[in-house]
Amino acid sequence: MGMAKKEVFHIVTNNNLKVTNNLWISTQERRKVNMKTTIASVDNLSTDNASYAQAVDLLIKGEVVAFPTETVYGLGAIATSEEAVAKIFEAKGRPQDNPLIVHVGSKEEIKAFTNNIPKLAQVCMDTFWPGPLTLILPLKPDTLAKNVTAGLQTVGVRMPEHIVALELLKRLKQPVAAPSANKSGKPSPTKAAHVYHDLEGKIPLILDGGATGIGLESTVIDFASDIPSILRPGGVTKAMLEKVIGQVGESKPTDHNDAPRAPGMKYTHYAPDSPVYLIEPSIVKVKEAVDKIHNEQKKVAIIASESFEQVKGDYFFSLGIENQLSDAAHLLYQALRDCDETDVDIILVPVLSKEGVGTAIMNRLEKAADGKWFYS
Ligand code: TXA
Ligand code: MG
């Protein structure tokens, strides 16, 4: 039964975000023409209303629904239903021991399933919510489905800052467990089309709110330890956190021998089909590398800021203007996914600055490369 394909698949749209090229696949069209995608702009409130109502219906029935957040697209299910949450793991092919983030539409909602919220955690919520910050808090026993937290005594919570996500959560009035809506191991989806690519046939509905703003997953901060500690860097940086709560710890990606505190961080992540290599950010070095790779009759893609376009690799995917790190964050996952549409043998990425959101970018790139560097 588990593998049976759902016959209904919609991409629906929300026009509050001034998205012009929206996709709409109606059930009937899908059945008739088998996956033909019709592009139409949806620009009246009644259509939006119907889409939200459909999403809420599906969630209440125990189905999964993909939706945009300000970071990446999430794949949601009602966090109190073990059966519904199991569908998330199944659709993504996600390891069972990797807990999910619970999304809420208001700060109040977390009281139903957390205990003893530390003062500093409250300060963080008051400062950064809604926004790209996930807090690991003590779980109130027997409140959420066990598979949400993978049996841990803690739970990750976040209130997203996205008009579609918030509207959905406010209508539903229930916490939603949602990991990123990608196939496990692949880069997180920053567009509805990415979700469709990875999960087509496996989930009934994608709410399309256009490209996500930040493009990298939320910062995860652990309040279950003595000193609050960043488990996953993201849009809310260490400096931003320290400004409001003082000293914050950090689990270094190089701490390979330590048991990973965020269980998800031990798995392969963000990986295109071809191997990714980090390289020194010098035009000369990258040119040398490309020559070397070409000498071996291999094809190379470069993912880098525009200044590297002059290096004649076989493919170039831009991360925007040099040192515009928020643009690089926004473009990174699309670029990694673009590589999978090519016949490259190797992907080179000149490293970026670790300032600000650069910490999060380099964290994802080090994982995508599995720590590999190209030396010529
Ligand atoms: O921006 C985001 O956070 C996106 C959007 C959809 O909200 N979600 C997301 O979820 O990235 P996911 O499942 O792909 O990543 C959640 C991370 C994983 O590394 C997981 O191990 C960690 O958070 N995590 C969740 N609950 C945890 C807990 N109780 N203790 C430690 N780590 C936890
Ligand atoms: Mg993920």
Side-chain angles (χ1 to χ4, degrees):
M1 179 246 118
M3 299 310 289
K5 284 209 170 181
K6 304 258 160 42
E7 43 176 350
V8 186
F9 191 98
H10 307 283
I11 292 184
V12 299
T13 56
N14 177 282
N15 64 309
N16 295 341
L17 297 166
K18 304 195 186 81
V19 182
T20 47
N21 284 335
N22 288 325
L23 299 171
W24 168 265
I25 303 174
S26 80
T27 313
Q28 276 174 347
E29 269 167 336
R30 171 77 194 283
R31 286 203 183 110
K32 246 193 313 200
V33 297
N34 195 18
M35 306 258 278
K36 178 171 178 276
T37 303
T38 306
I39 297 176
S41 60
V42 183
D43 54 10
N44 66 75
L45 194 64
S46 61
T47 315
D48 284 354
N49 246 319
S51 305
Y52 284 117
Q54 189 189 6
V56 168
D57 267 9
L58 283 164
L59 288 168
I60 285 174
K61 272 194 271 177
E63 272 303 330
V64 293
V65 170
F67 60 95
T69 80
E70 80 280 30
T71 57
V72 299
Y73 275 74
L75 180 63
I78 297 275
T80 47
S81 163
E82 185 139 7
E83 245 180 82
V85 170
K87 290 179 186 170
I88 294 177
F89 285 90
E90 190 184 312
K92 282 179 57 87
R94 183 178 176 104
Q96 299 288 334
D97 64 348
N98 193 3
L100 309 180
I101 295 171
V102 176
H103 295 67
V104 290
S106 74
K107 282 182 244 167
E108 292 303 297
E109 268 182 69
I110 70 164
K111 289 180 187 153
F113 57 91
T114 60
N115 264 337
N116 311 320
I117 298 168
K119 269 208 188 67
L120 295 182
Q122 192 61 52
V123 172
C124 279
M125 287 186 267
D126 293 341
T127 309
F128 297 107
W129 279 12
L133 183 70
T134 296
L135 291 81
I136 307 298
L137 298 173
L139 172 71
K140 188 182 280 185
D142 304 319
T143 53
L144 299 176
K146 292 259 183 304
N147 47 359
V148 170
T149 57
L152 298 173
Q153 310 296 309
T154 56
V155 58
V157 289
R158 126 173 160 87
M159 179 177 175
E161 186 175 24
H162 192 287
I163 186 169
V164 176
L166 285 175
E167 180 66 23
L168 181 65
L169 290 163
K170 280 175 181 159
R171 285 182 183 227
L172 190 66
K173 296 185 197 74
Q174 292 192 59
V176 169
S180 50
N182 51 289
K183 191 171 155 224
S184 200
K186 285 287 158 191
S188 296
T190 55
K191 294 178 179 168
H194 300 164
V195 183
Y196 185 80
H197 177 274
D198 282 13
L199 302 180
E200 187 261 317
K202 296 184 169 155
I203 63 173
L205 180 70
I206 300 170
L207 293 176
D208 181 355
T212 62
I214 297 173
L216 295 179
E217 306 82 352
S218 63
T219 305
V220 178
I221 181 167
D222 184 7
F223 280 98
S225 52
D226 294 343
I227 299 174
S229 171
I230 295 174
L231 303 183
R232 180 176 73 182
V236 176
T237 63
K238 186 165 185 259
M240 288 160 77
L241 287 161
E242 289 192 327
K243 218 167 159 184
V244 295
I245 58 167
Q247 199 199 341
V248 169
E250 207 172 359
S251 73
K252 288 265 178 321
T254 44
D255 294 349
H256 274 315
N257 299 325
D258 292 354
R261 299 294 308 275
M265 302 310 269
K266 73 181 177 219
Y267 295 105
T268 323
H269 240 305
Y270 323 112
D273 297 336
S274 300
V276 175
Y277 285 82
L278 303 178
I279 186 166
E280 219 179 288
S282 122
I283 303 273
V284 173
K285 292 278 182 206
V286 177
K287 274 188 175 146
E288 280 173 17
V290 167
D291 287 345
K292 199 169 169 187
I293 294 162
H294 281 166
N295 279 339
E296 293 172 15
Q297 316 300 325
K298 289 185 175 158
K299 288 193 176 169
V300 55
I302 299 165
I303 297 177
S305 63
E306 281 165 12
S307 58
F308 285 88
E309 199 168 358
Q310 56 175 292
V311 181
K312 295 283 172 251
D314 300 283
Y315 301 92
F316 179 78
F317 300 111
S318 174
L319 294 182
I321 298 167
E322 201 144 21
N323 297 322
Q324 295 287 328
L325 291 174
S326 57
D327 290 351
H330 180 74
L331 295 169
L332 179 63
Y333 288 159
Q334 174 76 59
L336 288 170
R337 281 175 178 269
D338 283 342
C339 291
D340 283 350
E341 307 302 318
T342 71
D343 57 349
V344 285
D345 301 296
I346 174 166
I347 301 160
L348 291 178
V349 190
V351 297
L352 290 92
S353 155
K354 287 190 178 177
E355 292 293 302
V357 76
T359 311
I361 297 172
M362 284 311 301
N363 168 273
R364 307 308 191 268
L365 278 173
E366 278 160 9
K367 285 177 201 306
D370 197 19
K372 295 190 298 299
W373 277 76
F374 195 97
Y375 301 105
S376 38

